[in-house]
Amino acid sequence: MITLRLGRNDICHCGSEKKYKNCCLNKKVSSKETIDKISNDNNIPIKAGEIFINTMKFVEDNDWKGACHATASILYVLMKEIGLNPVLYIGEVKLGDKYFDHSWIEISGKIIDVAAMNTLIPGCNQNPIYFNCDIKTMKEPNLVYGVHSPTGLDFQTKQLINTEFIRFMDDAPFEDGLWQFVETIADNSDIDIVTDIVKFKYRGTKRNLK
């Protein structure tokens, strides 16, 4: 049996005759009201929540599995562009007895992690985290961030730590690197970004090991 994946602009399968993006797709992510409440509770602009929701939709629509380093990098740039001060982290996280390498961002010491929803580790997919809050349960995340496994980081992750941020963004295997997705999500969030200008601001940006 072949299952066709609906695009955002396809007619929804539920029979509403609305586009998927305006119908059942929105039911797969936490409500805007929930995200807005978390933003307000943390004295964060509502625009940050729009970025978060649109990044979730992007990861789901494109089935970005195991793309934590790319997703965190995109979130980092977008949050910076609305005047916040995110910190880009890389390290290990733990769920039960399983450890895996991961990237995420923090703002005011609170975790924002979209890529947790689509990891490569069997049994480790979690709900996205917004300011230390699991957006489905409204509780603290099950993942433990910044732990240290007996084996440590893998070779690829160690290499990434020493890779310049702008090079990582430029060298992704897409026409305009990861910058094209920064621009896509920015556009969906009504943020004006010209990546050819913006990206030079990120020279010298580094991932922080945790």
Side-chain angles (χ1 to χ4, degrees):
M1 178 178 177
I2 299 175
T3 301
L4 296 178
R5 184 178 184 83
L6 283 178
R8 288 173 57 80
N9 291 310
D10 292 337
I11 299 300
C12 191
H13 50 61
C14 73
S16 67
E17 297 186 356
K18 296 180 181 179
K19 288 185 178 181
Y20 181 48
K21 68 181 180 182
N22 295 322
C23 193
C24 289
L25 173 61
N26 291 323
K27 298 175 184 177
K28 294 187 177 182
V29 298
S30 188
S31 70
K32 185 177 185 303
E33 289 76 14
T34 297
I35 301 302
D36 286 353
K37 181 181 185 306
I38 298 171
S39 295
N40 288 329
D41 288 347
N42 286 275
N43 297 313
I44 295 295
I46 295 301
K47 185 63 69 177
E50 292 180 31
I51 291 169
F52 182 79
I53 289 172
N54 286 324
T55 303
M56 284 194 294
K57 288 181 178 179
F58 179 87
V59 168
E60 183 176 60
D61 288 353
N62 294 279
D63 195 24
W64 262 25
K65 188 178 294 293
C68 63
H69 305 314
T71 304
S73 298
I74 291 168
L75 276 171
Y76 173 80
V77 171
L78 291 168
M79 294 298 186
K80 286 282 282 187
E81 289 304 305
I82 62 168
L84 298 177
N85 291 302
V87 180
L88 181 60
Y89 281 109
I90 190 169
E92 292 178 285
V93 297
K94 182 181 180 183
L95 181 66
D97 60 355
K98 295 180 179 179
Y99 295 85
F100 56 96
D101 297 353
H102 200 57
S103 282
W104 66 95
I105 67 168
E106 294 185 16
I107 296 176
S108 300
K110 295 189 175 181
I111 294 162
I112 299 176
D113 183 9
V114 168
M117 67 190 283
N118 212 8
T119 74
L120 289 173
I121 312 302
C124 286
N125 284 356
Q126 297 290 295
N127 297 321
I129 308 303
Y130 188 57
F131 286 91
N132 278 7
C133 186
D134 178 315
I135 64 167
K136 300 296 185 183
T137 67
M138 298 300 288
K139 297 179 180 179
E140 291 190 357
N142 293 320
L143 288 172
V144 182
Y145 292 76
V147 296
H148 301 282
S149 70
T151 56
L153 298 170
D154 65 26
F155 178 74
Q156 184 179 15
T157 303
K158 290 178 180 177
Q159 279 191 316
L160 181 56
I161 293 170
N162 296 315
T163 300
E164 293 180 359
F165 178 79
I166 197 168
R167 179 183 170 189
F168 172 77
M169 297 290 285
D170 284 343
D171 289 352
F174 307 102
E175 184 177 355
D176 294 314
L178 291 175
W179 300 107
Q180 70 185 70
F181 304 129
V182 169
E183 197 161 328
T184 296
I185 297 171
D187 185 58
N188 291 338
S189 306
D190 294 320
I191 302 169
D192 291 326
I193 286 182
V194 180
T195 54
D196 286 341
I197 297 172
V198 164
K199 68 181 183 179
F200 293 107
K201 293 168 28 178
Y202 295 92
R203 286 179 172 173
T205 295
K206 295 182 179 178
R207 295 178 187 271
N208 294 270
L209 179 61
K210 194 165 191 178

